[in-house]
Amino acid sequence: PAMVVKGAPAAAVSLFSLDAEHVVVEAVKPAENSDSGFAVRLYEAMHRATTCQLTTTLPVKQAFLTDMLENHLAELPISNGSVTLSFHPFEIKTLVFDL
């Protein structure tokens, strides 16, 4: 189902940004176990361990690291719409954000 979310109005605003060129946002979809959340799947693409910031313009209340089935593993600290993520080479991560 479609999800309508109030956000910052602008002509060209990205919902997500990353500060590492070799980390890729692969998928964004409604979360399986949440009425108002969404899942984001990312991976490190260049065989380099890295730490990066994922930032969203959406009004996120909570962020969770999950397994591939979106079972919560850990709550992630979120500040001004940003979470810090550490990747091993070629690692895949799934996050769930609650609005």
Side-chain angles (χ1 to χ4, degrees):
M3 185 185 320
V4 177
V5 178
K6 294 180 182 179
V13 172
S14 178
L15 292 178
F16 300 96
S17 62
L18 285 161
D19 66 355
E21 292 181 4
H22 54 282
V23 176
V24 177
V25 174
E26 177 68 19
V28 178
K29 67 178 199 68
E32 295 293 329
N33 301 321
S34 174
D35 292 333
S36 66
F38 58 94
V40 178
R41 187 154 296 134
L42 310 99
Y43 66 92
E44 192 288 317
M46 300 296 286
H47 196 251
R48 290 189 270 177
T50 191
T51 299
C52 67
Q53 293 281 330
L54 171 67
T55 303
T56 181
T57 57
L58 297 171
V60 172
K61 294 180 182 170
Q62 288 182 296
F64 298 94
L65 178 64
T66 71
D67 61 17
M68 296 292 275
L69 298 175
E70 298 176 23
N71 298 307
H72 292 187
L73 301 175
E75 185 168 359
L76 299 174
I78 188 160
S79 176
N80 297 322
S82 293
V83 293
T84 301
L85 302 169
S86 294
F87 284 86
H88 297 292
F90 298 125
E91 183 177 14
I92 300 168
K93 288 190 184 282
T94 303
L95 309 178
V96 169
F97 293 94
D98 286 335
L99 303 178

